[in-house]
Amino acid sequence: SDRQAGQDGRTGESGEETSEFGQLGPVSHGPRLGIGMDSCVIPLRHGGLSLIQTTDFFYPLVEDPYMMGRIACANVLSDLYAMGITECDNMLMLLSISQKMNDKEREHVMPLMMRGFRDAAEEGGTSVTGGQTVMNPWIIVGGVATVVCQPNDFIMPDGAIPGDVLVLTKPLGTQVAVNAHQWMDIPEKWNKIKLVISKEEVEQAYQEAMLNMATLNRTAAALMHKFNAHAATDVTGFGILGHAQNLAKQQRNDVAFVIHNLPIIAKMAAISKAGGNLFGLLQGTSSETSGGLLICLPREQAARFCAEMKASRSSSLGQDGGIGDGQQAWIIGIVEKGNRCARIIDKPRIIEVPYRVSACVLCWSLASFCHSCLSTLFVGWSGDLLNCLSLNIDGFLRHFFQL
Amino acid sequence: SDRQAGQDGRTGESGEETSEFGQLGPVSHGPRLGIGMDSCVIPLRHGGLSLIQTTDFFYPLVEDPYMMGRIACANVLSDLYAMGITECDNMLMLLSISQKMNDKEREHVMPLMMRGFRDAAEEGGTSVTGGQTVMNPWIIVGGVATVVCQPNDFIMPDGAIPGDVLVLTKPLGTQVAVNAHQWMDIPEKWNKIKLVISKEEVEQAYQEAMLNMATLNRTAAALMHKFNAHAATDVTGFGILGHAQNLAKQQRNDVAFVIHNLPIIAKMAAISKAGGNLFGLLQGTSSETSGGLLICLPREQAARFCAEMKASRSSSLGQDGGIGDGQQAWIIGIVEKGNRCARIIDKPRIIEVPYRVSACVLCWSLASFCHSCLSTLFVGWSGDLLNCLSLNIDGFLRHFFQL
């Protein structure tokens, strides 16, 4: 399908990391970061401030337009979060509407996608004040995130030292989950994996992946400061290994990253094996969309970092942590002396990350978000309330009963 | 063709002006501007500074990829220039590569387009530090321009008063010129206009349009401060009337804009008439790409503004004015008391703007830029020198002989 082609066709999925853009301009005062990492950092002419920004756009990869909007926004903001930035001053939205949609489809799909994007921006404490919309054969959704920072607001991704440990804040396997979900309708594809997973499990894995992709890395960004992170990046188009290598290259010290553990959405490793090492998931090369942060932390801080990530309603941001509440994080490797490279050990431990129970308040079916139908049933309810309803029954109950 | 469809299909050609993005967020301190005008203005948390940014992307509309890159960049920056901003702190480039191109086409076209974009950014005193590239059925080129400003660096577009005059800094008719150029190869289209224009004239008009679209509005932005401009916008997708109306709506005072004169690239009005009022050029609704600034100026300043625009090598920016040297500007209307609307008088005066003489140094053919062939002939020459060569023979001679 077009969508499939679009996914496969992307050449620079993760913002600044594309090499298409060549060399940097002249170096000025203050830290500067150009092509190659998650965001660019430009020293400003005013009072030691820095302009930090990033852009990202891609093609839909989940069927729910509202969730797709949330994912696109989470993916854009993630490049700021990877630098320990928790605030965003402005967002622009980049959209294209497919020519192939009729008026009715367009009027149904695009407002939901834009609303998902806006809701995620709001959860990130920012808002969308502009953008551009064009017609195109394919739908495109993305954005630009910009912040003006003081020196202490961000953490340059170059300070890892031997002895640090590597922490990952979301499980891997989103690409496998999204594709497996499409394969349920394609017999020749489905036959290859049906021995290792049921359709119900694929549905759950897909919902889990969607929930993870829509989760902001904002809590992790805040905790990077609290626990003295030395460097971080977010895991997107080049997979965990690609981004680990990219981050290693950026380091000031002679370090190497060694990954021992791969936390993966349950059953996705089995699918990958059954399909003949699909997408290179176990080699760390499978693309992720809106993946977790990969963070270099002092060894003595890492366990507390993970514990605080998991603590319900993180207070790090001084507010409701949103759908990121109770996120898990894993220590996945170590930083040792070396020549700025990264590798996965021969037989990494696969951590099967179970699906969370998430129920629709209407039908109580497992792992069903039903945002679209909720919108029509609860006309006039706030977007915030609908999000709680559709994404997180606990959050909904807390919100609704003011617990 | 796809390209044609792309041009016609655009829904929000000019950045922030699209209405897809709905309402503004909560109002904070300092001037704020959201959806509706050229750039968004966000008050920052630091020292009275404002974040001003804009994004724009579209499909190629000229055949020369280098010039297309320049035009795309000029079009993005123009939204800042419309606010009297002359500096840009950072640019991001947004690109999609057409799947339909083979490797050779891709390797020829995309670097030239990126180089055109970069060269125009450099001429604007800024540089490109990031972006995103994807595969797509159609080529897309665009960008994001961002600046952090002090209050005096920008002019909010809302201060027009009765008695002001309206000045336009580029001629109209780019859409007609670009389309007429395509129609030379389509007999049924060409037959409709061949009585009023020759193929040589179409070629000249096309080159003139391309040169205008690639010209930065930076000199005009600098002169807005010098001559105390009250408000401005740039003329793009909605045509001169659409943008005049949009600007009128934004005004604090009870004003109306009345347009008396329409400066149009020579012969384009005749083509429009011959084709049965093609694109509504004479009604002011024909799209422009990277058009001029429409500026409300105090009556006593306007003539001097125009004279200084035309003065060779404007010193307003304290540097070489680049290809914008000697731009013409026209007083096209007046600001009177009224209810924030804009109109064109019944029989506006059409100002036929002649084609400039611009010759290729190789063949001396009129109005030929030949940048691609120059690049191959003058391997190793600086981009700056090649630009002079291809765009401006006077500039080339000055540059080459250090005059």
Side-chain angles (χ1 to χ4, degrees), chain A residues 62-81:
Chain A
V62 299
E63 281 157 20
D64 181 329
Y66 176 83
M67 290 303 285
M68 191 56 230
R70 284 196 83 108
I71 291 167
C73 184
N75 199 50
V76 173
L77 285 170
S78 183
D79 287 328
L80 296 186
Y81 297 146

Side-chain angles (χ1 to χ4, degrees), chain A residues 96-99 106 133-137, chain B residues 6 9-11 59 138:
Chain A
S96 77
I97 299 168
S98 172
Q99 301 169 304
R106 175 189 157 155
T133 309
V134 298
M135 296 294 291
N136 193 55
Chain B
R10 67 175 68 149
T11 62
Y59 304 102
W138 299 342

Side-chain angles (χ1 to χ4, degrees), chain B residues 364-375:
Chain B
W364 297 96
S365 68
L366 207 59
S368 172
F369 298 109
C370 298
H371 189 278
S372 303
C373 82
L374 287 176
S375 301

Side-chain angles (χ1 to χ4, degrees), chain A residues 6-321:
Chain A
Q7 284 173 240
D8 292 341
R10 67 176 68 150
T11 61
E13 193 267 339
S14 38
E16 316 314 314
E17 288 108 332
T18 169
S19 63
E20 297 277 345
F21 291 96
Q23 297 306 305
L24 299 183
V27 174
S28 173
H29 301 297
R32 176 179 285 266
L33 197 57
I35 319 295
M37 286 305 297
D38 303 302
S39 299
C40 58
V41 178
I42 313 290
L44 290 172
R45 298 156 290 161
H46 310 285
L49 297 170
S50 295
L51 171 69
I52 302 185
Q53 63 181 177
T54 182
T55 183
D56 224 335
F57 57 94
F58 48 47
Y59 304 102
L61 74 173
V62 299
E63 281 157 20
D64 181 329
Y66 176 83
M67 290 303 285
M68 191 56 230
R70 284 196 83 108
I71 291 167
C73 184
N75 199 50
V76 173
L77 285 170
S78 183
D79 287 328
L80 296 186
Y81 297 146
M83 300 197 65
I85 294 164
T86 57
E87 303 304 319
C88 172
D89 286 317
N90 193 38
M91 293 198 81
L92 305 173
M93 203 188 299
L94 308 173
L95 278 180
S96 77
I97 299 168
S98 172
Q99 301 169 304
K100 292 168 191 165
M101 291 196 284
N102 61 35
D103 286 356
K104 202 178 154 195
E105 288 167 337
R106 175 189 157 155
E107 280 158 29
H108 174 71
V109 168
M110 298 314 288
L112 280 173
M113 196 174 287
M114 291 167 67
R115 179 156 153 197
F117 193 99
R118 285 183 175 287
D119 283 354
E122 197 181 312
E123 187 184 312
T126 184
S127 60
V128 180
T129 65
Q132 163 84 328
T133 309
V134 298
M135 296 294 291
N136 193 55
W138 299 342
I139 292 176
I140 291 175
V141 56
V144 181
T146 303
V147 65
V148 175
C149 276
Q150 289 177 317
N152 288 335
D153 293 340
F154 62 98
I155 297 169
M156 290 292 282
D158 60 2
I161 56 174
D164 282 353
V165 297
L166 301 171
V167 167
L168 180 67
T169 68
K170 289 182 188 177
L172 307 171
T174 54
Q175 186 179 31
V176 177
V178 164
N179 279 278
H181 191 251
Q182 291 176 8
W183 295 342
M184 290 198 294
D185 304 324
I186 308 170
E188 62 270 37
K189 295 274 194 181
W190 178 247
N191 288 338
K192 283 190 188 154
I193 61 171
K194 69 179 180 187
L195 289 178
V196 298
I197 193 164
S198 70
K199 287 197 171 181
E200 193 190 16
E201 286 168 326
V202 168
E203 185 63 41
Q204 287 180 304
Y206 173 72
Q207 299 291 346
E208 181 68 26
M210 194 154 64
L211 184 55
N212 279 318
M213 292 188 285
T215 298
L216 301 185
N217 285 322
R218 196 180 185 202
T219 303
L223 295 178
M224 281 174 63
H225 291 274
K226 183 165 181 183
F227 295 109
N228 194 24
H230 290 152
T233 189
D234 67 333
V235 179
T236 53
F238 300 131
I240 180 75
L241 182 61
H243 289 282
Q245 287 168 335
N246 197 42
L247 185 63
K249 272 191 214 132
Q250 195 70 26
Q251 298 310 305
R252 281 183 280 115
N253 304 308
D254 296 334
V255 291
F257 299 161
V258 186
I259 295 170
H260 295 258
N261 306 324
L262 295 175
I264 297 177
I265 296 170
K267 296 268 186 177
M268 296 304 102
I271 290 181
S272 177
K273 280 180 196 161
N277 188 24
L278 271 174
F279 305 114
L281 177 62
L282 302 181
Q283 282 67 50
T285 57
S286 183
S287 281
E288 306 292 338
T289 296
S290 190
L293 297 191
L294 174 66
I295 310 175
C296 302
L297 280 167
R299 183 182 295 266
E300 65 280 10
Q301 307 271 32
R304 283 167 55 215
F305 177 97
C306 295
E308 199 142 331
M309 279 290 290
K310 203 166 182 178
S312 175
R313 319 200 92 203
S314 162
S315 59
S316 313
L317 294 167
Q319 59 185 71
D320 186 343

Side-chain angles (χ1 to χ4, degrees), chain B residues 141-156:
Chain B
V141 56
V144 181
T146 303
V147 65
V148 175
C149 277
Q150 289 178 316
N152 288 335
D153 293 340
F154 62 97
I155 297 168
M156 290 292 282

Side-chain angles (χ1 to χ4, degrees), chain B residues 209-259:
Chain B
M210 194 154 64
L211 184 55
N212 280 317
M213 292 188 285
T215 298
L216 301 185
N217 284 321
R218 196 179 185 203
T219 303
L223 295 177
M224 281 173 64
H225 291 274
K226 183 166 182 182
F227 295 109
N228 194 24
H230 290 152
T233 188
D234 67 333
V235 179
T236 53
F238 300 131
I240 180 75
L241 183 60
H243 289 281
Q245 287 168 335
N246 197 42
L247 185 63
K249 272 192 213 131
Q250 196 70 24
Q251 299 310 305
R252 280 182 280 114
N253 303 309
D254 296 334
V255 291
F257 299 161
V258 185
I259 295 170

